[in-house]
Amino acid sequence: VQLVESGGGLVQPGGSLRLSCEVSGFTLDYYAIGWFRQLSGKEREFLAAVSASGMSQSYSAAAKGRFTVSKDNTKNTMWLQMNDLKPQDTAVYLCAARLGPDYGLEHEEYDYWGQGTQVTVSS
C-alpha cells in the first residue's frame, strides 16, 4: 500500500498549486479520502475530504472557497487544487485514505497516509 504526493513547492502569496496523490496497492473505489496539513510539532489539521463515491465533500473553514478536493477512481488518484494561497498555508500537506464509503474529519479515522509534500507560500 502506497500513497505518493506530488505538486508541492514554493509559491508567491495569491498563487495556486495543485497537489496530486497517487495510490497503489488498493483501489480508491472503496475508500474515502482526505487532505491534511501539518506544521512541525503540531497536530495534523483537516482540510478537505471526499466520500468513496465522490458524491459528498467537506472542507474546513481554512480551505472552503479556496481549495477543491477531487478523486478519480479509474486513475487511483486524488488531487487538492489550492488557490489564493497565503503565507499561513505554509505546511507539509498529506493525503490519506479511509476504508468505507464515508469520509472522516479527524486524522485518527484514516487508515493509510502519504509521506507529505512541502508547500511554502512566500514572496
Side-chain angles (χ1 to χ4, degrees), residues 2-33:
Q2 200 171 17
L3 288 75
V4 179
E5 297 103 336
S6 61
L10 174 64
V11 63
Q12 291 189 342
S16 298
L17 281 175
R18 190 188 195 207
L19 305 183
S20 300
C21 178
E22 245 183 281
V23 169
S24 60
F26 63 96
T27 174
L28 281 179
D29 288 325
Y30 307 110
Y31 285 78
I33 61 98

Side-chain angles (χ1 to χ4, degrees), residues 70-107:
S70 59
K71 69 195 285 257
D72 186 333
N73 291 347
T74 65
K75 296 180 179 177
N76 244 18
T77 303
M78 61 184 96
W79 296 273
L80 184 68
Q81 176 67 42
M82 305 188 294
N83 299 326
D84 189 24
L85 284 161
K86 307 175 190 303
Q88 53 264 42
D89 293 319
T90 295
V92 174
Y93 283 69
L94 305 106
C95 60
R98 178 175 188 261
L99 180 62
D102 301 319
Y103 53 74
L105 304 182
E106 304 292 336
H107 63 87

Side-chain angles (χ1 to χ4, degrees), residues 35-39 44-49 58-69 80-91 93 121:
W35 284 94
F36 292 74
R37 65 186 179 190
Q38 188 170 27
L39 291 170
R44 290 176 182 178
E45 175 193 359
F46 170 78
L47 293 171
S58 180
Y59 294 91
S60 69
K64 200 165 188 176
R66 299 189 299 132
F67 295 1
T68 303
V69 62
L80 184 68
Q81 176 67 42
M82 305 188 294
N83 299 326
D84 189 24
L85 284 161
K86 307 175 190 303
Q88 53 264 42
D89 293 319
T90 295
Y93 283 69
V121 185

